[in-house]
Amino acid sequence: MEIVMTKVNVFGDVRAEHDHAMLDESFFESQNYRTLFESRDRFIAVGRRGTGKSALTYRLSKDWAARKNLRLVIAPSEEQVIGLRPAAGLFGDTVSKIRAGIKLAWRYALLMEIAAICQNNYKLAGEVQKYETLRTHLKAWTSRGTCLFERLRHVLRERLQGIKDPEDRIADLSSLLQLNRITEEVVKLTESLKQDLIILIDRLDEGYEPDTVGIGIVDGILYGTDEVRSALGDHVRAIVFLRDNIFRAVQVEDKDFSRNLESQVLRLHWDPEELFYMVCKRIRAAFKVERESDIKVWNAITANELHGREGFKKCLRLTLYRPRDVIALLNAAIEHARRQRRETLIEEDFDESSKHISVTRFDDLGKEYETVFPGIKQVTVSFANGPAQFSLQDGIKTIRKVLDDPDLDGKALQHLRILGAEEDVVKALYGVGFLGIQDRQSSSWVFSHDGKRPDKVTSSDDVLMIHPCYWNALNLQRDELEPGAAEQIFDEYEITIHSQSAEQRATSLGRLISELTAIPLGTEGAAQFEDWCKRVVEIAFAKELTNVQLHPNQSAVQRRDIVATNQGIDGFWKRIRDDYQTRQVIFEVKNFEEVGIEEYRQVNGYLTREYGNMGFIVCRDKQAGLMKGRELEAFREFYFQGKVILKITATTLTSVLSKLRNPSKIDAGDIALDHQLDVHIRLYSTGQTEASASKKRGRQK
């Protein structure tokens, strides 16, 4: 296959704000995305540079907009954050006082912005006018500037004027802003919403300073956002994206953080499989590769030695397992291949590209952690021109030389002393992903790439290795590495945190699958089976079906079992919305094995107006296909009247749940139903069953 490489940065821009075209065409719905999109449990998303925070903000905003949700996206510029600092300083000179003041101010600001969004919505403008206090405040709020940070700065300066004591300012602010009354009125306003209101807050690192004021502002924003989402309940969802170094600074300064907000945090992680899927999607978009297999897509642009997942992992060892690293590496590798007039990538391309990227990544490490790890630059540089792999004792000796250096500045020395012994400095370097530890049982290298607090226990005979992405920057000697050893690199979250998450996922799905066996057939278990089916529909089709309800019209003559709103944005559900005009999807649940003409007639009676021309019957049949003399004739009768009624068995649904144990198979439900629809149309509509079609194929052979 001929791959034409003419565009600069063919894999997209490493900055999400300049990568919208590629994100629109080839965004990979990672587990991070699915968790944030589907769950309300976590509202603080923490990640290091390049883990995709801004990309998630952009795509979540776009996808929620497609579902007609109202959105408030807050992404301040550097000058806006800096402009808030003097106002924040009015509350005192400690993190706790600044947090208390900013929390109240931020609550007010979010409530005002929510009200402004409602007022600008033609369906809700009249609702806003019903609340006198809110209406008065909103008029003044919108006249004070063009963005939240500018408006908030003006409000604080005006309302706090004349109050000299910082503690009085904190105590009086709620009443000055009529915050309780405003909250009550916005709660009532949002209760009238027909859709969710989404708040996305990103780029708080712009203009951030790691001092008391900077930490207090971020801490107050987190607490204020949490109080707003708690007050407004299910009508509002909020997500704050935060860089790891800022998050850690808040943790250190806010002694109550772990108790109050730690459980609300989601760590942004990427494993090799997810990065592979992301890259293959971008290859398809950049080079118009139409092959179905991801491996074939990757092989289309690489030479033999880089083929397959193992070849991809060779490239990954030169990164920090972050999308930004991978995109930058591939863009540079393609540029190098282009200069050599080659159409496929070889190891030399990645080696050359990694030299520049290694220096950039090493500089990023210092910039990212210098504020919370003073002296990190001096400590990491001390390993330059040495071996990439060494014993724990040799690592301790290198660090001791840094501690004994008379030129080491006082701030760095103090921090290293606070960390404790040299071994504790090793743990800190492990915590930021600079050093890895060999796992003797698996002969692999374990790294922590998420910047989390190090808790790994070291022993005197441990073997350490500097992460390969820093080798070129530090000019390290690599001859001590066994062949291929550096390729066996795993993130710690892949082994512990991620596997724990995967285990919880598998356990939850397994529990739901096992519940089915305990539900008796017939009338006795009918209510249980309906509830089980509702939960399965919510999980299996979460991407496209919303507002899933059980018996939404109980008082009506025709009582539908399960009804869901079809967003119809992509895949199977778009197909049935476009082809069958089904906007409201019906699942008629029958807790017995055999269904026939009466059940099909019942569903057919529901298929009017928004319910379109397609519905589903869910039953406990052990046979997934349609049987002659039973369902087949019933299906055909209504098919030729323009209505398609699909039978789905509980076995099919449990199979889908089982596949969902793998986070990458998020579309398993859609794929299963798409296949079912094809079989119904191609086979059953002609009067054939699987058995008769199989016999016919046998005779033809």
Side-chain angles (χ1 to χ4, degrees):
M1 177 178 183
E2 182 179 357
I3 300 296
V4 181
M5 304 179 185
T6 57
K7 181 183 174 184
V8 177
N9 291 339
V10 293
F11 274 89
D13 200 297
V14 295
R15 299 161 297 175
E17 57 268 28
H18 300 292
D19 197 35
H20 289 178
M22 183 62 83
L23 289 172
D24 287 340
E25 189 174 0
S26 63
F27 180 78
F28 170 66
E29 295 183 359
S30 65
Q31 185 59 31
N32 297 327
Y33 170 88
R34 299 309 313 172
T35 299
L36 293 172
F37 189 83
E38 296 169 5
S39 173
R40 295 175 180 267
D41 297 337
R42 312 291 179 90
F43 86 98
I44 305 172
V46 178
R48 292 179 65 180
R49 291 184 181 187
T51 49
K53 297 185 293 297
S54 293
L56 285 168
T57 300
Y58 170 74
R59 189 57 189 239
L60 287 169
S61 174
K62 181 178 179 180
D63 289 352
W64 269 312
R67 286 156 175 75
K68 309 301 182 185
N69 291 310
L70 300 176
R71 293 161 301 125
L72 171 59
V73 180
I74 302 169
S77 62
E78 182 180 47
E79 59 271 19
Q80 290 169 356
V81 175
I82 293 173
L84 188 59
R85 287 175 60 85
L90 295 172
F91 298 116
D93 56 4
T94 66
V95 168
S96 60
K97 290 180 180 179
I98 294 172
R99 177 190 69 208
I102 290 296
K103 177 185 69 175
L104 296 171
W106 190 255
R107 275 181 56 194
Y108 179 79
L110 286 185
L111 293 172
M112 287 294 101
E113 292 293 315
I114 290 170
I117 288 175
C118 293
Q119 182 171 257
N120 292 332
N121 184 291
Y122 72 96
K123 293 182 180 180
L124 299 170
E127 293 293 324
V128 177
Q129 300 307 310
K130 296 178 181 179
Y131 306 106
E132 183 179 354
T133 305
L134 180 61
R135 188 174 67 248
T136 303
H137 278 257
L138 185 58
K139 183 178 180 181
W141 173 259
T142 54
S143 69
R144 287 185 171 95
T146 58
C147 70
L148 181 150
F149 278 78
E150 184 181 353
R151 292 165 176 168
L152 182 56
R153 183 162 54 91
H154 286 302
V155 166
L156 290 177
R157 286 194 306 194
E158 292 171 10
R159 297 302 178 107
L160 299 177
Q161 188 176 15
I163 304 176
K164 295 183 178 180
D165 187 78
E167 294 179 353
D168 285 338
R169 292 168 182 153
I170 297 170
D172 294 344
L173 186 60
S174 181
S175 60
L176 289 170
L177 298 175
Q178 294 184 279
L179 191 53
N180 291 336
R181 181 61 180 166
I182 293 293
T183 302
E184 291 173 4
E185 293 186 351
V186 174
V187 167
K188 293 178 182 177
L189 174 63
T190 55
E191 286 175 351
S192 65
L193 294 178
K194 301 298 184 183
Q195 65 271 74
D196 282 350
L197 190 147
I198 312 297
I199 303 172
L200 298 171
I201 304 170
D202 188 25
R203 296 179 55 170
L204 293 181
D205 53 307
E206 295 290 331
Y208 167 79
E209 292 289 339
D211 56 11
T212 299
V213 174
I215 295 171
I217 289 174
V218 174
D219 207 13
I221 288 174
L222 294 176
Y223 278 90
T225 303
D226 190 36
E227 291 191 0
V228 167
R229 62 192 282 271
S230 298
L232 302 186
D234 293 339
H235 300 287
V236 173
R237 297 184 63 177
I239 301 173
V240 182
F241 291 92
L242 209 57
R243 212 166 71 192
D244 175 68
N245 59 315
I246 301 177
F247 175 74
R248 289 175 68 167
V250 171
Q251 277 186 306
V252 170
E253 296 296 332
D254 181 357
K255 306 305 179 187
D256 297 324
F257 186 87
S258 296
R259 175 166 53 88
N260 295 331
L261 295 179
E262 190 79 60
S263 62
Q264 311 289 330
V265 175
L266 171 71
R267 281 280 183 180
L268 300 181
H269 298 306
W270 287 82
D271 63 31
E273 282 295 304
E274 288 186 312
L275 290 170
F276 183 64
Y277 297 140
M278 180 204 76
V279 165
C280 289
K281 292 201 77 166
R282 291 194 174 229
I283 293 172
R284 288 186 174 95
F287 302 126
K288 309 306 177 187
V289 177
E290 297 180 354
R291 298 174 186 178
E292 183 175 343
S293 166
D294 287 327
I295 291 178
K296 289 181 179 178
V297 168
W298 169 254
N299 291 350
I301 70 164
T302 56
N304 290 339
E305 68 266 24
L306 293 177
H307 277 183
R309 284 182 167 82
E310 292 306 312
F312 178 73
K313 288 180 181 179
K314 287 182 183 179
C315 306
L316 272 191
R317 65 186 174 87
L318 303 171
T319 75
L320 282 175
Y321 288 75
R322 297 180 244 176
R324 179 181 296 179
D325 297 352
V326 178
I327 293 169
L329 183 69
L330 286 164
N331 278 335
I334 286 176
E335 181 62 30
H336 184 265
R338 181 188 296 163
R339 290 196 298 268
Q340 302 295 320
R341 299 184 180 277
R342 276 185 285 98
E343 295 178 353
T344 55
L345 302 176
I346 62 176
E347 286 193 77
E348 179 189 338
D349 298 323
F350 288 98
D351 290 339
E352 288 297 317
S353 304
S354 68
K355 291 177 183 178
H356 170 72
I357 292 173
S358 180
V359 174
T360 303
R361 291 295 162 262
F362 185 68
D363 289 342
D364 281 347
L365 180 72
K367 292 174 183 176
E368 187 170 2
Y369 285 103
E370 183 61 37
T371 56
V372 293
F373 191 156
I376 188 171
K377 192 76 172 181
Q378 294 93 320
V379 174
T380 51
V381 166
S382 69
F383 290 93
N385 303 311
Q389 176 185 346
F390 45 86
S391 68
L392 173 63
Q393 297 306 316
D394 287 339
I396 288 173
K397 289 177 183 177
T398 301
I399 293 169
R400 188 172 298 142
K401 291 178 182 177
V402 177
L403 291 169
D404 293 339
D405 185 354
D407 295 328
L408 183 65
D409 69 85
K411 185 178 181 181
L413 179 61
Q414 182 188 57
H415 180 73
L416 295 175
R417 292 299 186 198
I418 290 172
L419 286 177
E422 291 86 348
E423 186 176 339
D424 296 304
V425 178
V426 169
K427 291 181 180 179
L429 293 174
Y430 169 82
V432 297
F434 180 74
L435 291 178
I437 300 176
Q438 188 177 42
D439 185 327
R440 296 180 189 82
Q441 291 184 340
S442 62
S443 298
S444 62
W445 296 94
V446 182
F447 284 82
S448 170
H449 290 164
D450 61 358
K452 74 185 186 69
R453 291 180 174 277
D455 54 6
K456 195 168 187 68
V457 177
T458 56
S459 59
S460 58
D461 57 346
D462 273 335
V463 179
L464 309 176
M465 186 171 74
I466 295 170
H467 195 282
C469 78
Y470 303 124
W471 287 356
N472 285 315
L474 295 173
N475 190 33
L476 298 181
Q477 304 163 16
R478 314 176 197 181
D479 54 349
E480 293 185 26
L481 287 172
E482 296 177 4
E487 297 167 17
Q488 302 301 316
I489 293 175
F490 300 91
D491 278 339
E492 185 180 52
Y493 62 73
E494 185 183 15
I495 294 172
T496 55
I497 299 174
H498 180 73
S499 63
Q500 182 183 8
S501 174
E503 183 180 345
Q504 291 172 344
R505 180 189 181 99
T507 300
S508 178
L509 290 171
R511 189 182 301 118
L512 185 56
I513 292 170
S514 65
E515 282 181 19
L516 179 65
T517 59
I519 300 175
L521 288 168
T523 305
E524 181 186 354
Q528 288 176 268
F529 186 54
E530 287 176 346
D531 179 71
W532 185 87
C533 289
K534 176 179 179 289
R535 284 182 287 154
V536 174
V537 168
E538 288 175 328
I539 292 171
F541 311 114
K543 183 179 178 183
E544 297 287 342
L545 297 188
T546 60
N547 194 25
V548 180
Q549 287 186 286
L550 189 62
H551 300 303
N553 55 342
Q554 285 188 349
S555 59
V557 176
Q558 291 184 316
R559 291 178 295 181
R560 300 165 175 87
D561 287 339
I562 299 172
V563 177
T565 302
N566 179 15
Q567 298 298 333
I569 294 172
D570 196 18
F572 171 76
W573 298 106
K574 184 177 189 299
R575 176 184 178 184
I576 73 163
R577 183 165 174 171
D578 292 346
D579 294 353
Y580 301 98
Q581 294 75 52
T582 300
R583 294 175 178 272
Q584 296 292 321
V585 183
I586 297 170
F587 296 86
E588 188 63 22
V589 181
K590 302 299 178 185
N591 191 35
F592 42 81
E593 293 184 351
E594 297 184 3
V595 295
I597 188 65
E598 291 303 319
E599 287 74 29
Y600 277 78
R601 284 174 179 163
Q602 183 180 7
V603 175
N604 181 64
Y606 298 153
L607 299 181
T608 60
R609 298 172 63 84
E610 293 83 4
Y611 296 93
N613 299 312
M614 177 177 280
F616 299 87
I617 298 176
V618 185
C619 65
R620 302 284 293 273
D621 197 345
K622 294 182 175 63
Q623 171 69 41
L626 302 189
M627 299 290 291
K628 224 166 199 178
R630 201 170 74 194
E631 310 104 323
L632 184 64
E633 287 72 22
F635 166 75
R636 296 186 73 211
E637 176 180 331
F638 297 110
Y639 176 77
F640 289 111
Q641 296 177 23
K643 304 295 176 69
V644 175
I645 301 171
L646 262 62
K647 184 186 87 169
I648 309 172
T649 67
T651 303
T652 298
L653 294 179
T654 56
S655 175
V656 169
L657 292 176
S658 182
K659 290 177 181 177
L660 289 175
R661 287 187 170 108
N662 184 342
S664 68
K665 296 185 177 180
I666 58 174
D667 296 320
D670 295 358
I671 293 170
L673 294 192
D674 204 38
H675 174 72
Q676 287 274 71
L677 179 55
D678 284 344
V679 171
H680 275 66
I681 292 172
R682 298 173 186 176
L683 189 66
Y684 301 145
S685 67
T686 65
Q688 298 183 78
T689 64
E690 279 92 340
S692 62
S694 178
K695 289 180 181 178
K696 184 177 180 181
R697 287 193 296 269
R699 288 195 298 270
Q700 290 174 344
K701 289 181 181 179

